[in-house]
Amino acid sequence: MENGTVNGYEMDEKQDRSRSVISIKAILSLLLESVDENNHSRSVISLGMGDPTAHSCFHTTHVAPEAVVDALQSGKFNGYASPVGLPQTRRAIAEYLSRDLPYKLSSDDVFITSGCTQAIDVALAMLARPGANILLPRPGFPIYELCAAFRHLEVRHFDLLPEKGWEVDLDTIEALADQNTVAVVIINPGNPCGNVYSYQHLKKIAETAEKLKVLVIADEVYGHLVFGRNPFVPMGVFGSIVPVLTLGSLSKRWIVPGWRLGWFVTSDPSGMFRNPKVVERIKKYFDILGGPATFIQAAVPGILELTDEVFFKKTINILKQSSDICFDRLKEIPCISCPYKPEGSMAMMMKLNLSLLEDISDDIDFCFKLAREELVIILPGTAVGLKNWLRITFAADPVALEEALGRVKSFCLRHSKQFES
């Protein structure tokens, strides 16, 4: 590959929208590279990536590795699995998800993926067609934009409303949708906002989607990680109103993001996705994918069945404590405001008031200078669609979180404008 050509064929940069998408991992890598390596007096604290395993207070239940070891030692799971997943894994996930639904999923509704990221790619690949568009939340998760770019799906953004707990702007969805709109994406519990939608709001979303004749992609990778006034309600509860594609994984709730065990589920009791042609298309696409390791899949039934509530409650308690620390400490920093106290997931959004800061041009400049001067990594809001906002991941050890936020406060004080009295 040379000068934009591959084997003599020129790549059209104007059509390559993937070049304009900012990857979270890429920008976090750049921030880490900007850290002064000669500053050995303090350690780097990263609050940028949603990987709780980086902090010692988060670890998976003993049930999970024991189930993996049992699967490995059995010697039964060293070969290939079915492209759509082991039957017992699909059945276990169908039973697990059905606990919260007014109907029962079958194993045929479940397809096993390498993490939720692959499930996102599958969903968009299945829906892509010439001229199609998809509605994505702003702020949101940039992997959707990246997958859409590679699938030549036009992206149209609807706003999440911070003053209303980051609820979906349903009027904007109605204004954006047309006959070529294939789906609307709903992330609940919310990444990057930490919001948890009420039953009533989710029902309104379903009714709006049904009115517009578009299906809902429900990203529920943070499912059940809630600690506020709203319980977690799966979008599939409204599958009788509108067809739902549910995406999820073990990654967050079980604290095993590196195991790459996710799922793509057709939550559709009316049966639209059971059309033989639709099923065949999905299966054919899975033929070209590489799923999770067979022994990881084989461990899933035991993990889902044997994990007790004590483990889940401990995780929730740590997240609640950390989110409270984050929200309270940030109130002490004049140039940062938090319009909404997080009630779920592992992240929250903060708004920058640049008029109170000297020599900080925007959110990206803020994050790079913060990394260099204070060795604290947080994500600029531009990466998730909101310029001059910041995303902070509070899934961190409380002591490290206190230290990091203290450094952010020192940084902001140092860069504050000095107003004459």
Side-chain angles (χ1 to χ4, degrees):
M1 181 172 175
E2 221 176 303
N3 297 325
T5 65
V6 179
N7 294 336
Y9 291 92
E10 186 174 351
M11 297 181 71
D12 189 344
E13 293 187 8
K14 291 181 180 178
Q15 294 182 8
D16 184 12
R17 289 186 290 117
S18 67
R19 294 169 64 91
S20 65
V21 178
I22 301 175
S23 159
I24 288 177
K25 290 181 179 178
I27 198 163
L28 290 176
S29 294
L30 290 172
L31 286 165
L32 279 169
E33 289 173 8
S34 73
V35 169
D36 183 1
E37 295 181 357
N38 296 317
N39 188 343
H40 299 296
S41 60
R42 296 182 294 180
S43 60
V44 176
I45 303 176
S46 179
L47 304 177
M49 181 65 76
D51 183 354
T53 65
H55 301 273
S56 60
C57 60
F58 290 99
H59 51 82
T60 192
T61 169
H62 67 91
V63 168
E66 287 171 5
V68 171
V69 170
D70 288 346
L72 268 174
Q73 291 183 339
S74 74
K76 297 177 181 178
F77 304 105
N78 296 323
Y80 292 119
S82 163
V84 295
L86 289 175
Q88 61 267 44
T89 308
R90 300 174 73 194
R91 184 167 55 252
I93 292 171
E95 291 171 357
Y96 166 69
L97 296 177
S98 294
R99 297 174 194 170
D100 300 313
L101 299 175
Y103 54 90
K104 295 295 182 184
L105 295 167
S106 78
S107 58
D108 290 337
D109 298 317
V110 179
F111 302 84
I112 309 303
T113 61
S114 289
C116 195
T117 297
Q118 190 178 69
I120 293 170
D121 184 59
V122 171
L124 270 60
M126 291 298 96
L127 296 171
R129 55 177 170 76
N133 66 74
I134 188 167
L135 307 185
L136 302 182
R138 181 173 54 211
F141 186 49
I143 288 293
Y144 284 95
E145 278 89 346
L146 194 56
C147 288
F150 279 108
R151 302 298 175 190
H152 302 290
L153 268 170
E154 178 193 349
V155 168
R156 298 179 180 179
H157 288 103
F158 59 90
D159 290 326
L160 303 183
L161 305 172
E163 68 277 10
K164 293 186 176 181
W166 298 104
E167 285 189 347
V168 171
D169 186 340
L170 295 172
D171 291 337
T172 301
I173 284 183
E174 292 202 39
L176 290 172
D178 60 22
Q179 70 275 13
N180 292 317
T181 303
V182 292
V184 55
V185 172
I186 301 298
I187 304 174
N188 182 53
N191 177 23
C193 302
N195 54 289
V196 179
Y197 291 139
S198 67
Y199 179 98
Q200 293 76 14
H201 187 59
L202 290 169
K203 186 178 181 183
K204 288 179 182 178
I205 292 170
E207 290 170 344
T208 301
E210 192 281 329
K211 175 182 175 182
L212 299 170
K213 304 304 175 189
V214 300
L215 60 83
V216 175
I217 297 174
D219 185 327
E220 296 174 355
V221 73
Y222 288 98
H224 296 280
L225 292 179
V226 299
F227 40 82
R229 66 185 184 278
N230 291 329
F232 168 63
V233 178
M235 195 73 209
V237 165
F238 307 101
S240 58
I241 296 176
V242 64
V244 177
L245 292 176
T246 299
L247 316 181
S249 76
L250 291 184
S251 299
K252 309 299 185 181
R253 195 180 189 201
W254 272 269
I255 322 291
V256 287
W259 289 15
R260 313 309 299 140
L261 192 294
W263 49 80
F264 168 97
V265 178
T266 55
S267 306
D268 171 38
S270 61
M272 187 190 91
F273 289 111
R274 296 196 182 111
N275 179 304
K277 290 183 179 179
V278 174
V279 173
E280 183 65 19
R281 186 161 185 260
I282 294 173
K283 287 183 175 179
K284 281 185 176 179
Y285 190 70
F286 271 84
D287 282 341
I288 64 173
L289 300 178
T294 309
F295 64 88
I296 296 289
Q297 295 190 44
V300 169
I303 293 171
L304 296 182
E305 180 183 353
L306 299 175
T307 302
D308 60 34
E309 284 300 315
V310 173
F311 165 73
F312 294 134
K313 287 178 181 177
K314 181 179 178 182
T315 302
I316 293 296
N317 289 339
I318 297 171
L319 288 173
K320 175 71 166 65
Q321 179 189 6
S322 297
S323 69
D324 286 346
I325 290 170
C326 207
F327 190 75
D328 291 343
R329 294 297 172 268
L330 290 170
K331 286 192 291 188
E332 300 170 2
I333 306 174
C335 66
I336 293 176
S337 60
C338 303
Y340 176 83
K341 187 174 184 178
E343 297 188 0
S345 82
M346 298 179 177
M348 62 187 292
M349 294 294 291
M350 315 173 291
K351 190 172 185 178
L352 268 179
N353 185 347
L354 293 173
S355 68
L356 299 179
L357 294 172
E358 198 80 64
D359 69 5
I360 301 289
S361 59
D362 57 22
D363 57 315
I364 294 175
D365 188 35
F366 180 97
C367 289
F368 274 93
K369 286 177 177 173
L370 176 67
R372 281 195 294 270
E373 297 177 24
E374 296 290 346
L375 282 68
V376 173
I377 309 296
I378 57 178
L379 190 72
T382 296
V384 295
L386 279 189
K387 186 176 176 63
N388 295 331
W389 286 67
L390 307 168
R391 188 197 80 168
I392 191 165
T393 300
F394 54 78
D397 180 88
V399 174
L401 194 58
E402 292 266 18
E403 169 68 20
L405 295 172
R407 295 186 199 177
V408 173
K409 182 178 180 179
S410 297
F411 173 84
C412 291
L413 289 173
R414 194 164 57 250
H415 288 271
S416 291
K417 285 184 178 176
Q418 302 302 313
F419 295 98
E420 293 183 8
S421 56

